[in-house]
Amino acid sequence: MSKRVAFVIGVVLALILVTASRGIEAGQAKSQAELRKPFVGTWRLLSIEGGNNQANRGAKPTGLIMYDAQGYMAVQILPDRPRPKWTGTPTPEQALDAIRGYTAYFGTYTIDEKAGTVTHHRQGMLDGGVVDFVRKFELAAGDRITLTPVGGTGPATHLTWQRVK
């Protein structure tokens, strides 16, 4: 066998091995559908700890976050503070005060198991700002999840949710 033929056979075998190992790795990676299973359902807000939003949200805000098996999510958080009341059309100041501290958005979500993050890809939102919200997640005993925003500049905020049964 010539050196050239041996070289070609070696290259072909190396390519086969690389391709096969990638196929095995891909087969071992969990699909998004599988990764979503622990998230699917409705969760109620238990607490928001840390951060600097208490002035806008109050001591005990309430909220719900929902994840479905198809990869859609929605969240609303209502502040625990006096809310303005008016009749007729609100003034710009009244309208701003009504939404201050209120969070509402919906979209899709993806999970990065290796990084331990869930990303909310916002499609509709009350506020402006970034579209993708990346959160570190910790699942506890299947009925609690803590989400911590990634990449913030202030003190870390931890939102703890409990599955609604």
Side-chain angles (χ1 to χ4, degrees):
M1 181 181 325
S2 74
K3 287 184 181 181
R4 183 176 175 172
V5 172
F7 175 76
V8 170
I9 291 172
V11 169
V12 169
L13 286 174
L15 286 173
I16 290 170
L17 288 173
V18 168
T19 303
S21 69
R22 284 189 181 161
I24 290 169
E25 290 171 9
Q28 291 175 345
K30 293 180 183 174
S31 69
Q32 280 296 304
E34 193 174 346
L35 291 171
R36 288 184 195 125
K37 286 179 182 177
F39 285 79
V40 171
T42 300
W43 306 75
R44 71 178 178 84
L45 183 64
L46 289 180
S47 66
I48 299 178
E49 298 172 352
N52 48 15
N53 286 329
Q54 192 157 351
N56 288 332
R57 293 199 194 260
K60 295 195 73 62
T62 57
L64 291 174
I65 191 166
M66 293 174 261
Y67 295 101
D68 78 8
Q70 288 71 40
Y72 290 93
M73 60 80 54
V75 63
Q76 291 197 38
I77 300 173
L78 175 70
D80 172 29
R81 62 175 179 78
R83 312 243 323 137
K85 293 177 178 40
W86 62 83
T87 57
T89 304
T91 66
E93 293 80 18
Q94 288 170 322
L96 180 60
D97 192 41
I99 64 169
R100 186 173 288 118
Y102 195 97
T103 298
Y105 63 88
F106 67 90
T108 60
Y109 71 102
T110 53
I111 298 166
D112 182 336
E113 183 179 41
K114 192 176 280 186
T117 59
V118 58
T119 301
H120 299 163
H121 307 284
R122 302 188 317 156
Q123 296 172 335
M125 62 209 88
L126 183 61
D127 64 339
V130 297
V131 173
D132 287 349
F133 280 172
V134 181
R135 309 283 190 243
K136 281 277 198 195
F137 68 84
E138 290 180 42
L139 289 163
D143 68 344
R144 286 196 183 191
I145 186 170
T146 299
L147 302 177
T148 303
V150 173
T153 56
T157 303
H158 308 284
L159 293 90
T160 301
W161 306 83
Q162 183 168 21
R163 186 181 303 277
V164 175
K165 296 181 182 181

